[in-house]
Amino acid sequence: MKPITSRDNPLYKEIKLLATSSQARRKARRTLLDGIHLCDVYLRQVGHPVLAIVNDAASAHPEVAALVAECERRRVQAISLPDSLYKAISQVENGIGILFVVDTPEPSDPGALAESAVLLDNLQDPGNMGSILRSAAAAGVRHVLCGPGTVFAWSPKVLRAGMGAHFLLNIVEGIDLETVVSAARVPVLATSSHAAKTVYDVDLSRPVAWMFGHEGQGVSENLLRKASVTVGIPHIGKIESLNVAASVAVCLFEQVRQTMASPDGKT
């Protein structure tokens, strides 16, 4: 494991740029996985990273040492950083210091949707995005399609909130959702607080595409008009609406419930 002690080191500068700039991450098609859990999931489910980075203070931690040993077995370069340099690139407070630099995967073209999917219109919050990805992966939904303006799915904050869900999904960014909706071969359901039908009134035992929007404004009017049906989530408390990530979970797991109850249902 190679030690780096200077903030002027070219490799360190490159890593810090990835840590601090969404534009740099998009351009390089690389991002950072922060923490033992994400790094372990990546090694088990995806493959080897581009680079492993360890905080000097964590190098003797058993789980960190095991991850580094596996990286070295796979001939992955590993570097160690003093605490002052490591803290400048890690966004996890009081975490156990290990990071991976990884390539962001090339998404596959979903074509005309014929299976269940989640469509995100101008979603802004990284925590919401990560939670939605976790729900989609847990519900067996494979495609997550993100319209322009939606938060970058591969940012470190979204990755932490996703807890490894990214590696089970086909995430397509910057896609024209109007074109996707027009070409879809499955019903497209949009959530709206003004819908006459609820999520419990529609047949979800077969594949559908779910459309969710901006945290404050919801799905855009143009997309709402293109949806096959709009649905709401009933609630009895004196609150105007649910958080979008909670809404996604309710909808997807109502679909899971109906699918499991149907002998020929599939997502």
Side-chain angles (χ1 to χ4, degrees), residues 164-176:
H166 289 71
F167 313 136
L168 302 172
L169 300 166
N170 177 43
I171 303 170
V172 185
E173 298 187 281
I175 195 167
D176 184 343

Side-chain angles (χ1 to χ4, degrees), residues 32 75 82 95 120 125 129 135 138 140-141 149 167 210 216 220 223 228 264-265:
L32 295 176
R75 301 186 182 280
L120 299 176
D125 183 76
M129 170 67 95
S135 292
V141 173
F167 313 136
W210 292 96
S220 69
L223 287 170
S228 307
D264 60 346

Side-chain angles (χ1 to χ4, degrees), residues 45-73:
Q45 295 186 359
V46 183
H48 57 265
V50 176
L51 176 71
I53 306 159
V54 177
N55 186 336
D56 285 343
S59 59
H61 188 282
E63 290 178 281
V64 172
L67 290 172
V68 172
E70 179 61 21
C71 286
E72 291 177 337
R73 187 185 70 81

Side-chain angles (χ1 to χ4, degrees), residues 33-36 38 86-87 89-99 156 160:
L33 305 183
D34 202 334
I36 288 173
L38 280 178
Y86 187 89
K87 284 183 176 179
I89 60 172
S90 174
Q91 298 177 4
V92 177
E93 291 187 18
N94 303 317
I96 298 171
I98 184 167
L99 288 154
R160 288 202 306 279

Side-chain angles (χ1 to χ4, degrees), residues 42 50 55 61 68 108 141 154 158 208 238 244 248 257 266:
Y42 190 87
V50 176
N55 186 336
H61 188 282
V68 172
S108 62
V141 173
W154 295 92
V158 178
V208 301
K238 294 181 179 180
V244 63
V248 172
R257 186 192 69 79
K266 59 181 180 179

Side-chain angles (χ1 to χ4, degrees), residues 8-27:
D8 295 322
N9 178 281
L11 179 56
Y12 179 76
K13 286 183 176 181
E14 182 181 331
I15 296 166
K16 189 173 180 181
L17 194 60
L18 287 176
T20 57
S21 170
S22 180
Q23 182 178 2
R25 290 189 290 269
R26 290 176 188 267
K27 183 178 179 180

